[in-house]
Amino acid sequence: MSAAKTVDQSALLPESLRDDFPILSRDILEGHPLVFLDNAASTQRPRQVIDAISNVYEHDYANVHRGIHTLSERSTELYELAREKVRAFVGAKHAREVIFTPGTTASINLVARSWGGANLQPGDEILTTVMEHHSNLVPWQQIAAETGAVLRHVPITEDGRLDMAAFDQLLSERTKLVAVCSISNTLGTINPIDEITSKAHAAGALVLVDAAQSVPHMPVDVLKSDVDFLAFSGHKMLGPSGVGILYGKESLLDAMPPFLGGGSMINEVRLDSFTPAELPAKFEAGTPPIAPAIGMSAAIDYLNHIGLEAIHRHEQVLTQLAYDALSQIEGLRILGPAPKHRAGLVSFAFERIHAHEFAQVLNDQFGVAVRAGHHCTQPLHALLGISASTRASFYFYNQPENVDCLLEGISAVQSMFAPQGRRRRRKHNS
Ligand code: PLP
């Protein structure tokens, strides 16, 4: 029976939302409409976001802040309105705590270089986890090498959750910063950020949250969670690529030296010195991502209209459906915890089929787009004893029928590559 038929329809968002996304009506294969399950890498954009971007280029574009002509004033107004939208979206106190960057990676590098460079001493510890994206590992490795700080990693439990007992042991007065993802882009694990911030603060450490996978999918409130820094990307939440956010508490950002030097980030420049601008300009050197920020603002309007709680609920249904069906397949290993501890993605590995081959056939024969590889979590894959996995990641425009397409593809690929593979009936505890 179709897995889709077993679903509680009342928890789902309407299928008609898909019509807002022009690219989703594209056929990849004749007779196979696109099934896009690669949303953790980048989502698609609704017409409203595409229109906002083309509108600004058609009617309102000029460089921001420096001009006194109408177009510059208009694009400055839209750019600053975007900042205000982001502020409200993540519950920050002040718009000046919201810095536009090129993305999550750039935001984390900003903190590592600026805060880390100014504050880390030999022997200080940065506590991160084994489930981090390379973006939340490599910048800390780099700054640790430069400052003599030491990097420590919180392990995971058997079922792919953060080992909080180990966290408690690793956290000490030497810990200066905890750098952790709110949702693992490979395991799907939702981490207990509120508990982490409260314990870290009690130990005197700051907390940076890599929120690339949470801000697009569930409500995030920086004040309630008391995070010190939060990083995320526009392209994972219906917005354009090339824009992301660093949220930082005002007192911390104020005390940090500028990261990049150049135009816009200065108050006054002499031949041999400069004074930095106030926040947020201090961290926005050069021409910022003007149209992408305005596109991100339209994406936030769209997400607010649907509601983040409803999006999360919808994704939970799809995840449960996929998890239950995948856990019945012999020779397939699901990475990460049971659905109640995970967000809207499921990664898995086959005993006998390489993830790349698998994803290729799914695309070429079924029009199903999934991601295959290490998902920028090589250390985590090494720990799990595999070099690659396949990841199906959902968004609110996916429907249970898309999970059926995935399952149909898996079954076909299995009989193609491993005819001996059979479905098994096994009860899974969740
Ligand atoms: N952190 C996580 C958890 C991610 O999933 C990603 C992207 O996949 C990143 C960081 C990097 O984001 P970006 O490439 O937009 O900088």
Side-chain angles (χ1 to χ4, degrees):
M1 185 177 75
S2 146
K5 296 222 167 76
T6 63
V7 157
D8 169 15
Q9 298 290 328
S10 66
L12 291 173
L13 286 160
E15 193 169 2
S16 56
L17 288 173
R18 194 179 160 93
D19 300 340
D20 287 337
F21 294 76
I23 203 168
L24 296 180
S25 58
R26 220 202 110 155
D27 267 7
I28 293 295
L29 286 174
E30 224 181 297
H32 286 284
L34 170 63
V35 176
F36 191 76
L37 301 179
D38 192 18
N39 295 290
S42 216
T43 62
Q44 298 297 348
R45 280 121 210 85
R47 169 67 61 207
Q48 291 84 336
V49 170
I50 297 167
D51 286 351
I53 298 165
S54 49
N55 266 334
V56 70
Y57 282 127
E58 280 179 32
H59 303 292
D60 292 314
Y61 183 82
N63 211 331
V64 289
H65 293 142
R66 288 173 290 249
I68 44 167
H69 55 81
T70 305
L71 285 185
S72 180
E73 278 175 6
R74 179 72 186 134
S75 65
T76 302
E77 201 179 297
L78 291 172
Y79 180 69
E80 291 305 326
L81 178 64
R83 195 189 308 279
E84 171 54 28
K85 290 256 175 77
V86 174
R87 180 206 67 72
F89 194 58
V90 297
K93 231 190 247 172
H94 308 295
R96 54 186 177 275
E97 297 175 311
V98 172
I99 313 291
F100 282 112
T101 68
T104 306
T105 306
S107 299
I108 296 172
N109 274 275
L110 192 166
V111 178
R113 294 277 150 191
S114 171
W115 177 86
N119 290 287
L120 291 171
Q121 304 290 329
D124 285 349
E125 293 183 1
I126 304 157
L127 186 53
T128 180
T129 85
V130 297
M131 66 166 82
E132 298 308 311
H133 189 282
H134 297 164
S135 293
N136 203 22
L137 277 182
V138 178
W140 303 115
Q141 293 170 352
Q142 290 174 308
I143 200 68
E146 278 177 31
T147 58
V150 178
L151 204 50
R152 301 220 177 273
H153 306 95
V154 182
I156 50 173
T157 56
E158 277 280 292
D159 73 339
R161 295 159 70 193
L162 212 53
D163 184 339
M164 289 306 287
F167 173 81
D168 290 346
Q169 280 177 353
L170 285 162
L171 188 68
S172 75
E173 73 283 355
R174 290 185 301 280
T175 313
K176 293 292 172 283
L177 181 96
V178 177
V180 61
C181 59
S182 37
I183 291 174
S184 157
N185 70 315
T186 299
L187 302 171
T189 314
I190 302 176
N191 287 326
I193 294 302
D194 293 9
E195 181 186 347
I196 289 171
T197 51
S198 108
K199 287 179 168 170
H201 289 158
L206 299 178
V207 179
L208 175 140
V209 175
D210 171 352
Q213 298 294 345
S214 58
V215 166
H217 299 278
M218 58 174 61
V220 169
D221 187 322
V222 291
L223 282 190
K224 186 178 144 288
S225 298
D226 199 18
V227 303
D228 299 295
F229 299 107
L230 188 90
F232 56 101
S233 299
H235 68 97
K236 292 183 195 287
M237 49 183 285
L238 311 180
S241 57
V243 64
I245 298 296
L246 172 67
Y247 157 81
K249 284 182 182 162
E250 185 176 15
S251 57
L252 295 169
L253 293 175
D254 255 341
M256 283 159 52
F259 172 44
L260 298 175
S264 303
M265 50 69 73
I266 52 86
N267 179 24
E268 193 187 349
V269 180
R270 293 166 295 278
L271 278 179
D272 54 2
S273 62
F274 74 96
T275 51
E278 298 291 312
L279 291 174
K282 179 167 95 170
F283 290 111
E284 292 184 2
T287 298
I290 302 166
I294 293 165
M296 189 169 181
S297 170
I300 289 175
D301 285 343
Y302 189 97
L303 290 171
N304 280 335
H305 183 67
I306 300 177
L308 270 290
E309 294 278 6
I311 290 173
H312 183 55
R313 247 192 334 270
H314 178 95
E315 291 175 6
Q316 292 291 103
V317 174
L318 300 187
T319 305
Q320 182 82 51
L321 195 62
Y323 185 93
D324 288 347
L326 291 172
S327 55
Q328 301 284 316
I329 299 176
E330 192 169 340
L332 183 152
R333 170 183 171 196
I334 297 180
L335 312 183
K340 69 177 174 196
H341 300 298
R342 70 160 69 222
L345 67 92
V346 187
S347 301
F348 47 92
F350 289 100
E351 271 164 21
R352 291 179 291 263
I353 312 168
H354 192 277
H356 284 138
E357 284 176 319
F358 175 75
Q360 192 76 57
V361 179
L362 266 189
N363 179 73
D364 295 352
Q365 299 197 13
F366 296 90
V368 178
V370 292
R371 187 139 294 243
H374 53 63
H375 320 306
C376 296
T377 55
Q378 272 182 340
L380 175 64
H381 276 78
L383 199 76
L384 297 170
I386 49 179
S387 60
S389 60
T390 303
R391 180 181 70 192
S393 52
F394 309 113
Y395 214 10
F396 58 86
Y397 43 67
N398 295 123
Q399 288 289 332
E401 288 70 23
N402 293 161
V403 177
D404 272 348
C405 290
L406 173 73
L407 297 171
E408 198 189 318
I410 290 176
S411 162
V413 177
Q414 271 206 314
S415 43
M416 206 179 290
F417 283 91
Q420 65 273 47
R422 289 184 321 277
R423 291 194 157 216
R424 72 166 181 247
R425 298 252 154 254
R426 181 158 69 77
K427 259 261 171 272
H428 236 261
N429 297 327
S430 51

